[in-house]
Amino acid sequence: MPLPASLDYAQFSTQPLDYRIEWFDELAWDSIAVPTEQRAIKRFLSAVFEQDPNQHVRKKALEWIGELALADVLRVDFARDFLLDVAATEERYISICKLKYLFLLCGDDTDVYLAFTSALGNTDDEIASEAYFRQGLVHLLYRTGQATEQQFFEEIVQANQCFRQARMLAENRVDAEFFGLVADCLIALLGQRPEQYEPLLLALNTLLWQRQLWSWQQPTHLLEWHILHGLGNLRLIGERTAAESSWTDYHQEFAKLSKLCNDIALLDSLSSSLQHSYQEFADGVASRLVRHYYVQNLSACRLKISAVIAEIGEHNAELTLFLQQVENTLEKSVVDTTDLTAQLIRAFPQIELARIMRDVAALSAAGPADAQLLADLAFRYLPETQQGSFVDYETGFEVGDEVLADIAREIQNALITLRPRQQSTFFRVLADVISYAYRSIRQPKRFFPHLYDPGEDKEETFQNHLFTALTSGSRAEYYSYEPADKIGSGRMDIVYSENNLVFPIEIKKDDSKPDWSVIEANYLAQAQTYVHAYHRLGLLVVFDISPKRGGAPVNNFRELFKLMHLAPYYNLGNTRPDYVVACIIPGNKVSPSAYTTYSS
């Protein structure tokens, strides 16, 4: 299809919609990718995006701005500024396109990262999911390679949290699932435990197959394929260097290692738009793992390395350069506990990373063998982690788990600085309360008689029944009634206390058919006040005892929970806000047949 004369949007805009769409869909790369026409191209594509009434045409113009900048036809700073100026209120696919090309063009750019952050709270879950995914890639591909040891693990954890959020917000995020497994695999590879990394590599292979089916691209054109290829090479490098004591031909073994390392950095088959991101992975993350393998596994063969260098001399410059790099790494090496740290992170995800790092440093300084150090810390952490990880915090019901996942996502968005251990502990409490609320709807009347008794209006009755239910489960010892005068002149109804983490549960009954505005006006301030001395989260359970006979049916269960917050008394920036998860449990209930007005 011919170009409009002089790339003139005034002429282009007079064409029928079908023509404009077809023109962009069939646009040939070499017909527009002419650097000498940069100004005309910029003017034309800008006009299309800013003036064309069709969203598909506008999206195609935005894509071409990104692609031409990646190909050095347009200046990257022009494309970056243009994309950053795209309004946050644009429709879904334009906003997603903006986030994609900002990442591909700029990677870890301060303003771009802020653009991702601002999009995390977008009311369109697809846009928010894309923002989380791109932010996760920044942490995984860009920030891990330049980080200190502790920062490396922190960036991996942060990346994984972003990928998990992306999956929770939108369906079919195979890309986010893939890179979440990549993050797990990197830690497993550092630990050099085949039983941990082999299942992850197998899962990545399966996901890559699904990704190829959905994308209709050659696997070698996908960033994921190159990442997986790189991980496979890292696995071989780790296994080969670990077997150094059984080598018989050091020259041959070092040649194999050199080829594996060089193969990681190959970019020939990867599209130009993805090469920069993969280069960050190869030069940063992968190189970090390779250096760790050298220090961990080859420190005892320095003389062998020098002998091979002397043997080959100038006959193999590439291998000589490789071995000199290995020598330099070993000369600069210090005590390396990365593998122990990685194994502990994999085994105890509930333990805070900073604490693991401190404990490993303290014990390794004392000089115990690696196995003994690992055993000492494992025995120290086990009593604190017997409750399981996030995947164990199930309510017992599919619908209940949906509610738990939704509120967990809201909490992670609202309380970004909340520590993982605080999150996971609160999610256990929340799972117990959701389970109770759901059972009150699903189970027979005899298990919840107080919810069907129209004469029952004592708050203590509802409180006692909930407390009995909570203390009948596997976390019974952590629930208690709080003594009076614990907070000012008030008393928290029920308290969950585990490993110095405290989460209050306030109980109320209401006979006026409460809604969220009523709950906020009448009960939220008290519940949130109980939270402020502890760990930023609490629960408010409101038993609704308003008359139900002859009225409308109760709302869907998923609507009976809400994350709530009141602005605090002091205007101090509110950088550490407290939140309360409020829940309405219907009481004074009747059987479903009582809602009918039919009479025979």
Side-chain angles (χ1 to χ4, degrees):
M1 182 155 300
L3 284 169
S6 303
L7 287 176
D8 178 28
Y9 178 70
Q11 176 198 355
F12 183 73
S13 65
T14 63
Q15 302 296 324
L17 175 60
D18 290 348
Y19 173 92
R20 302 200 309 277
I21 291 176
E22 187 178 358
W23 186 85
F24 267 110
D25 285 345
E26 297 184 2
L27 181 60
W29 175 265
D30 56 1
S31 70
I32 194 172
V34 183
T36 57
E37 297 293 332
Q38 182 179 126
R39 185 173 300 178
I41 294 170
K42 285 165 53 176
R43 187 165 51 242
F44 174 72
L45 293 176
S46 299
V48 173
F49 180 79
E50 292 165 358
Q51 300 177 41
D52 202 279
N54 182 265
Q55 297 295 342
H56 177 74
V57 174
R58 297 179 68 233
K59 175 176 174 288
K60 296 299 291 188
L62 199 63
E63 288 177 348
W64 273 102
I65 288 174
E67 291 293 337
L68 292 173
L70 287 166
D72 294 326
V73 176
L74 298 180
R75 291 173 59 89
V76 170
D77 56 354
F78 158 75
R80 171 189 176 276
D81 293 343
F82 191 92
L83 289 163
L84 286 172
D85 286 341
V86 173
T89 54
E90 285 284 359
E91 63 94 29
R92 172 185 296 175
Y93 295 106
I94 288 178
S95 295
I96 290 174
C97 179
K98 163 189 172 178
L99 297 173
K100 171 187 173 181
Y101 282 101
L102 280 174
F103 170 77
L104 292 176
L105 287 166
C106 307
D108 190 13
D109 174 280
T110 301
D111 291 333
V112 169
Y113 192 85
L114 287 174
F116 295 155
T117 302
S118 66
L120 299 180
N122 197 293
T123 55
D124 187 318
D125 285 349
E126 296 283 346
I127 297 173
S129 174
E130 183 70 13
Y132 272 111
F133 175 63
R134 297 297 167 182
Q135 201 169 73
L137 290 178
V138 170
H139 287 283
L140 180 66
L141 302 181
Y142 286 80
R143 297 190 175 182
T144 50
Q146 308 302 321
T148 64
E149 183 180 351
Q150 177 171 336
Q151 290 168 342
F152 172 83
F153 289 114
E154 289 173 345
E155 295 294 344
I156 291 285
V157 170
Q158 182 65 36
N160 225 338
Q161 290 176 347
C162 290
F163 296 137
R164 185 180 69 238
Q165 284 295 108
R167 297 197 308 273
M168 291 174 63
L169 285 166
E171 296 180 351
N172 300 327
R173 291 298 317 224
V174 177
D175 49 2
E177 185 176 359
F178 181 93
F179 282 101
L181 286 174
V182 168
D184 288 337
C185 193
L186 289 171
I187 293 180
L189 286 168
L190 280 171
Q192 300 189 69
R193 301 288 294 273
E195 70 274 15
Q196 292 184 356
Y197 60 69
E198 285 178 354
L200 292 169
L201 289 168
L202 181 62
L204 285 167
N205 265 300
T206 302
L207 283 177
L208 181 59
W209 176 77
Q210 296 178 17
R211 179 85 167 87
Q212 182 187 352
L213 284 181
W214 290 355
S215 67
W216 296 101
Q217 296 183 49
Q218 291 295 324
T220 52
H221 294 169
L222 293 171
L223 176 63
E224 289 92 329
W225 186 90
H226 284 74
I227 295 287
L228 182 55
H229 176 73
L231 292 176
N233 278 20
L234 288 172
R235 168 194 182 174
L236 292 175
I237 293 169
E239 291 174 351
R240 285 185 180 278
T241 55
E244 179 270 333
S245 60
S246 64
W247 289 359
T248 56
D249 187 336
Y250 278 79
H251 185 161
Q252 182 181 14
E253 292 294 341
F254 283 132
K256 291 177 181 177
L257 287 179
S258 176
K259 185 178 186 309
L260 287 170
C261 291
N262 289 335
D263 283 351
I264 292 176
L266 287 179
L267 298 171
D268 294 345
S269 61
L270 189 61
S271 67
S272 59
S273 63
L274 298 173
Q275 287 186 7
H276 183 57
S277 296
Y278 182 75
Q279 195 73 55
E280 289 290 331
F281 170 80
D283 293 345
V285 185
S287 294
R288 186 185 199 95
L289 267 71
V290 169
R291 291 194 299 272
H292 166 71
Y293 291 145
Y294 295 164
V295 173
Q296 193 71 21
N297 301 328
L298 300 181
S299 293
C301 66
R302 296 187 185 188
L303 293 178
K304 294 285 188 182
I305 295 173
S306 298
V308 174
I309 292 175
E311 174 191 340
I312 62 178
E314 298 179 357
H315 299 296
N316 191 333
E318 185 176 321
L319 182 56
T320 299
L321 178 61
F322 168 76
L323 291 174
Q324 288 172 343
Q325 291 171 344
V326 175
E327 274 192 323
N328 290 337
T329 299
L330 296 179
E331 288 173 2
K332 298 175 183 178
S333 66
V334 294
V335 177
D336 190 349
T337 57
T338 305
D339 57 334
L340 298 177
T341 305
Q343 290 179 47
L344 289 165
I345 290 171
R346 290 279 300 166
F348 301 103
Q350 308 94 325
I351 302 298
E352 291 181 30
L353 174 60
R355 179 182 170 193
I356 291 177
M357 300 291 293
R358 287 195 305 269
D359 290 347
V360 169
L363 286 184
S364 61
D370 287 354
Q372 183 60 46
L373 185 153
L374 198 60
D376 287 347
L377 291 179
F379 281 115
R380 183 182 302 182
Y381 297 156
L382 274 173
E384 303 177 31
T385 58
Q386 291 175 342
Q387 294 297 331
S389 62
F390 179 81
V391 295
D392 297 319
Y393 311 156
E394 298 174 353
T395 64
F397 303 93
E398 182 179 357
V399 174
D401 287 352
E402 286 182 32
V403 174
L404 176 61
D406 287 344
I407 299 175
R409 182 195 69 200
E410 291 185 53
I411 289 171
Q412 288 164 340
N413 285 339
L415 298 171
I416 298 175
T417 60
L418 193 68
R419 294 178 178 177
R421 186 167 68 95
Q422 294 169 344
Q423 287 185 34
S424 61
T425 304
F426 180 76
F427 292 155
R428 288 198 279 275
V429 188
L430 179 58
D432 288 345
V433 172
I434 292 173
S435 178
Y436 175 87
Y438 196 66
R439 286 187 290 112
S440 75
I441 295 173
R442 288 283 302 273
Q443 291 184 342
K445 177 179 178 179
R446 66 179 182 275
F447 293 111
F448 294 86
H450 61 298
L451 297 183
Y452 292 86
D453 183 354
E456 184 56 74
D457 62 356
K458 294 179 181 177
E459 199 164 87
E460 183 180 7
T461 301
F462 299 98
Q463 176 181 316
N464 289 340
H465 192 274
L466 174 58
F467 181 75
T468 299
L470 295 175
T471 53
S472 298
S474 60
R475 292 180 276 273
E477 65 175 304
Y478 302 120
Y479 289 101
S480 63
Y481 283 126
E482 190 66 24
D485 301 323
K486 187 71 175 180
I487 299 290
S489 59
R491 179 184 70 85
M492 296 180 284
D493 293 326
I494 299 174
V495 174
Y496 185 92
S497 180
E498 177 186 356
N499 294 325
N500 297 318
L501 295 178
V502 176
F503 299 102
I505 304 174
E506 180 66 10
I507 314 297
K508 296 295 181 184
K509 54 95 179 174
D510 193 299
D511 59 6
S512 64
K513 195 172 76 168
D515 57 29
W516 299 124
S517 62
V518 170
I519 289 174
E520 179 177 325
N522 295 344
Y523 311 124
L524 184 57
Q526 181 183 1
Q528 192 170 313
T529 297
Y530 290 150
V531 172
H532 87 277
Y534 297 108
H535 297 96
R536 305 178 65 188
L537 285 165
L539 286 125
L540 169 61
V541 181
V542 179
F543 288 90
D544 165 33
I545 59 173
S546 63
K548 306 295 189 299
R549 184 178 296 275
V554 173
N555 300 58
N556 184 280
F557 180 76
R558 298 167 182 81
E559 289 192 316
L560 301 180
F561 291 81
K562 184 177 179 65
L563 183 65
M564 306 187 74
H565 167 74
L566 278 178
Y569 179 76
Y570 297 108
N571 184 18
L572 302 176
N574 202 19
T575 58
R576 292 291 185 272
D578 296 323
Y579 279 81
V580 172
V581 176
C583 162
I584 298 174
I585 297 181
N588 195 7
K589 298 195 290 187
V590 295
S591 64
S593 61
Y595 287 100
T596 185
T597 58
Y598 171 80
S599 59
S600 59

